Amino acid sequence: MSRPSQPVPQGDYIPACRHGSLIVTSGMTPRREGVLQFTGPVRRDQSLEDHRPAVRLACENALAAARGLLAEGESLTAILSLTVYVAAEPGFDAHSKLADFASARLREELGPAGIGARTAVGVATLPGNAPVEIQLIATV
């Protein structure tokens, strides 16, 4: 089994850490090979669908970070917690609808076990002007 490509840290941290059967990821933005693919902020007048690819990519990076800590034969069994940070302009109020794109991606991957507790948070800015950042807590 080959290990998934780990997201490239943008600072002095690791993509994920593991303690026993728990894996906690760092916040992941929509990057490929360290390069931000989408920028923010999320605007009130934009379609939510415009942001689906950014949310899914950030979520896939979080999954890759978690999977990078799995031993051969192990798999993620459940998502315990999903935190979605949205860099949005004032007046944007559909944070949880954007977070639904991440929940849908996790459900695709793990079925009902992909849906755990969730928080969607609006923030003024994110690293590199990313529109979204995602952190996971998963079990092995």
Side-chain angles (χ1 to χ4, degrees), residues 9-128:
Q10 301 299 302
D12 191 13
Y13 62 91
I14 57 175
C17 64
R18 180 174 176 171
H19 182 76
S21 64
L22 289 179
I23 294 176
V24 178
T25 72
S26 293
M28 296 290 152
T29 55
R31 295 178 185 270
R32 281 194 186 93
E33 297 178 13
V35 178
L36 195 61
Q37 302 296 302
F38 302 90
T39 57
V42 174
R43 303 202 182 283
R44 291 185 318 226
D45 60 353
Q46 279 183 298
S47 166
L48 292 178
E49 284 297 321
D50 291 346
H51 301 289
R52 181 188 299 261
V55 174
R56 288 180 62 91
L57 179 56
C59 189
E60 288 163 7
N61 286 338
L63 282 168
R67 286 198 175 109
L69 297 180
L70 297 175
E72 189 169 335
E74 289 184 321
S75 62
L76 298 178
T77 58
I79 300 300
L80 300 179
S81 179
L82 164 65
T83 304
V84 180
Y85 299 94
V86 180
E89 71 179 5
F92 179 81
D93 63 1
H95 303 81
S96 62
K97 290 181 181 180
L98 280 183
D100 283 344
F101 295 142
S103 293
R105 179 67 187 94
L106 294 169
R107 180 174 287 141
E108 286 172 15
E109 199 69 29
L110 297 169
I115 305 301
R118 185 179 89 181
T119 302
V121 180
V123 297
T125 63
L126 287 168

